[in-house]
Amino acid sequence: MSTETVRICCQERYVPPGLLLQWHLTEQCNLRCAHCYQDKYAGLELGFKQLLKVLDQFTDLLKSWRQDCGRRVRGHVTVTGGEPFIRRDFLDLLEVFAAKRENFSFAILTNGSFIDTVMARRLRRLGPAFVQVSIEGTHETHDRIRGPGNFDRTVAAVRSLRAERIETFISFTAHRDNFREFAEVARLASKLRISRLWADRLIPTGSGSSLHEQMLTPDETREFFETMLKARNQARRRWFGRTEIAMHRALQFLVAGGRPYHCTAGDSLLTVQANGDLYPCRRMPIRVGNLTETPLAELYYHSDLLSKVSLLRNERRSVQGRSGLLAHIKRRSEGGSRGGVSKRSVYSQLVKK
């Protein structure tokens, strides 16, 4: 982006408070999880030099905001896949991240299969903000979803990470077959000294596109949120080694309180696919452009789609107060980013109770 363009956007007085890049380095994966949002496990990937060019575009945008707009924008890169550790050059890329840590932080989303004591020690030196794995319920439920033996491997990976004092998160995808097992996952997370446990509801897409019947009903959603809240309250009563049970997603605030969630896709959240395609979010697979063809800064400020996101962003800013926000969410919620039981219907059922 030219200096002139940057100054124009500064005059318009919009610079995001932060910029999170969710970067899918590969579609390859050693697992075939039943609810995976991928529908294929091979495809075009950027070479290492191309990865570095994408990274340069990200850091250049951050630097332009600081130098030309006088704003130090927090940058963060979350690397994932597929399974990122499958790439032979993954650790080389992390070395570059570590060398640029003054510009941005980074984290890793992984299934944990490739993390042992030696790998955890190396990761500690590289300094990720956190490493996240997934646990889907009890031992039996998890292995049914992710494959035999994966529960034990995931727990072993977590123990290796925590032994090196690496911040470790667990994500939980709630559906009708496992949402009542969240409390057990919370107890395990506390036992493993996990930093944060959070959950989202199943979105039937990719390999999980046939799982519509597994989506939670409004009543089940409320039950699930109340289970999360109970687990959160129990965790807060512990004096030491507390695990945060995060309730910041989607409609969780209706039970947990706090600020309503709003999606920042296309604003302070962007997703880069393995081939360099830019999306507002992985769950909003609308191609904005490709970073091997058009620089990130140009797409951020001048693409048709992200310009429309900018208009919505300004509309959201004009909404004042809790009641206004609730009305705004009700008006805008059309089923989330992908199909199934709509946020509108869940919202309507939850606010009645």
Side-chain angles (χ1 to χ4, degrees), residues 26-33 36 38 41-42 82-83 86 111:
T26 182
E27 292 181 340
Q28 299 178 71
C29 189
N30 58 312
L31 302 183
R32 295 294 183 269
C33 302
C36 183
Q38 288 189 194
Y41 296 91
E83 171 51 51
I86 283 183
N111 60 42

Side-chain angles (χ1 to χ4, degrees), residues 253-254 258-260 316 318-332 347 351:
F253 78 93
L254 291 171
R259 296 180 61 186
R316 188 179 68 229
S318 69
V319 179
Q320 301 294 324
R322 175 178 166 83
S323 61
L325 280 167
L326 291 175
H328 184 70
I329 291 167
K330 185 176 182 180
R331 186 169 66 253
R332 285 290 178 190
Y347 173 92
V351 296

Side-chain angles (χ1 to χ4, degrees), residues 134-154:
S134 296
I135 292 183
E136 310 294 353
T138 64
H139 193 299
E140 179 183 0
T141 299
H142 180 97
D143 280 3
R144 185 171 66 248
I145 293 170
R146 291 183 167 260
N150 186 259
F151 182 90
D152 289 337
R153 287 192 294 273
T154 302

Side-chain angles (χ1 to χ4, degrees), residues 66-106:
R66 182 173 67 249
Q67 294 171 0
D68 297 288
C69 301
R71 289 279 304 276
R72 186 174 181 85
V73 176
R74 299 187 308 275
H76 179 81
V77 178
T78 298
V79 283
T80 183
E83 171 51 51
F85 281 93
I86 283 183
R87 283 194 63 134
R88 294 183 179 182
D89 55 10
F90 180 51
L91 292 175
D92 295 329
L93 184 64
L94 295 188
E95 293 280 359
V96 177
F97 286 2
K100 296 178 178 287
R101 69 176 80 238
E102 72 278 4
N103 297 317
F104 61 89
S105 58
F106 72 93

Side-chain angles (χ1 to χ4, degrees), residues 245-285:
I245 309 296
M247 295 190 68
H248 310 304
R249 302 290 294 176
L251 299 173
Q252 292 171 5
F253 78 93
L254 291 171
V255 170
R259 296 180 61 186
Y261 173 82
H262 64 264
C263 176
T264 62
D267 179 359
S268 56
L269 166 65
L270 297 170
T271 295
V272 180
Q273 292 294 96
N275 66 351
D277 281 348
L278 184 71
Y279 290 176
C281 172
R282 184 61 181 83
R283 291 178 169 180
M284 189 187 294

